[in-house]
Amino acid sequence: MPKYLLIESRDPFDSNDTRFCCDLAQQLAAAKNEVTLFLVQNGVLPVRPGARSADLTSLAGAGVRVLADTFSLKERGIDEQRLASGVAAAPLDVVLDALAEGAKVIWH
Amino acid sequence: MADKKTITIAIMDAPYEDARSTTTLRLIDLAAKRGYNINVFAYEGAVLQPFAAQTPHANAVHGRSVEEENHFIPKDAIAALMREAERNGGKIDWVNCGLCVDERGATNAIAGVRRGSPADFWQMAEASDNTLVVATR
Amino acid sequence: MKTLSIVENAYRATLEEQDDTIVWLHGAMKGAGADLALLLRGNAVNYLVQRQEAGGLAFGDWRQTQPPRIASDLAALAAKGVDICYVAEDVTDRGIARNELINSAQPVARGAVAELLGRYDRVWYW
């Protein structure tokens, strides 16, 4: 199964274009690809349960693995134990693992 | 080493402008610790990342001397990453886009940085297990 | 390896560079034998508009004589064998009519982008 890792460094409070990553992740998952959305930098800001976290939860429900960079969470004082449903904390190693495995890794 | 990988990363940001720079350095650090070979193609402002004339400064607002402040200097971080890769049996091949260097007068780079062109980026990507583009905005 | 480059960022330092540096980069890589395709999305779809005209800038007594000509650069890239496509809805959303675009670019529906990505060995995002 082809693997994709989409790295989202933007956040929906600042950029309307986070829609692109969510839509693409959903399309790729629907087409039977293994898809991870990795949130990094300000990309982690919507992971607190709140106004903009529902998209991430529904993405997880659509079969996309949604991960948030542990350092970016810590840097912003976001508690790893209190993330929106469907989102898990993960180290940046996930990106390197995906590159090493030959996944298509796309930085947005 | 059977699982030794070669990864190419293209970066475009000038130092001190965006979180992408430090995230990319973190990624290179992880790869260096694994003993991977890492190719970096620095395009546009990123050619200033290993600019040799970067100098640490004291910070009066923080109330700290040069030594106490221990300011983050990208060229020193890059040199440290090169040493880390070597210690673990890997190598960082850092290529600065030559025309980008000329435009910015950034010819004075740290040791281990070489001048190249988009053809080098393509060849590095072709010879790598994978390539990540970290574009600027 | 066949590589698809997605280009989103538009008009960033194009007046200084006298081109778009990502389009330029792809021209240089194509010259080095790369097998490339471009997908323009977001604001970069405006690069396909033929009537872009950035000439006439002057700073004091310095005049810019070689302004960026991005639509022509893209047409030249297509003539060299680089497939160029764009997200159709991104053109429509910006009120751009298809007949304003260069001929050598093909529309791709937003919902077909994932399928397009699957046709390439590598995907880069600029």
Side-chain angles (χ1 to χ4, degrees), chain A residues 2-74:
Chain A
K3 290 183 182 174
Y4 286 83
L5 178 87
L6 309 183
I7 303 171
E8 182 56 280
S9 62
R10 309 183 205 180
D11 68 89
F13 305 105
D14 185 53
S15 169
N16 191 36
D17 206 50
T18 51
R19 193 71 261 152
F20 169 75
C21 248
C22 285
D23 288 349
L24 181 60
Q26 211 150 12
Q27 278 184 40
L28 287 165
K32 307 286 179 222
N33 295 289
E34 190 180 315
V35 187
T36 300
L37 178 68
F38 187 83
L39 309 171
V40 72
Q41 301 165 193
N42 281 346
V44 303
L45 286 173
V47 303
R48 290 184 180 103
R52 305 306 289 265
S53 60
D55 283 350
L56 299 173
T57 302
S58 65
L59 214 47
V64 175
R65 191 165 66 133
V66 183
L67 303 175
D69 174 45
T70 46
F71 182 83
S72 302
L73 291 171
K74 185 167 72 76

Side-chain angles (χ1 to χ4, degrees), chain B residues 10 12 41 43-44 99 103-104 118-119 121-123 125-126 131 133 135-137, chain C residues 1 3 8-9 12 17 21-22 24-25 28-29 32 34-36 122 124-126:
Chain B
M12 294 178 64
F41 181 68
Y43 193 50
E44 299 194 13
L99 297 185
E103 285 174 344
R104 292 162 178 81
F121 173 50
W122 178 253
Q123 282 152 14
E126 285 289 273
T131 300
V133 168
T136 190
R137 292 205 49 75
Chain C
M1 286 175 97
T3 301
E8 176 207 346
N9 213 335
R12 184 187 52 77
E17 297 281 7
T21 59
I22 303 306
W24 179 88
L25 178 81
M29 287 194 291
D35 189 0
L36 299 167
R122 275 194 296 242
W124 295 340
Y125 195 98
W126 305 87

Side-chain angles (χ1 to χ4, degrees), chain B residues 5-6 8 25 31 36 39 72 74 78 90-91 107 110 121 137:
Chain B
K5 300 287 183 182
T6 300
T8 293
L25 292 178
Y36 288 4
N39 302 315
F72 178 83
I78 292 163
K91 186 180 186 312
T107 46
I110 60 168
F121 173 50
R137 292 205 49 75

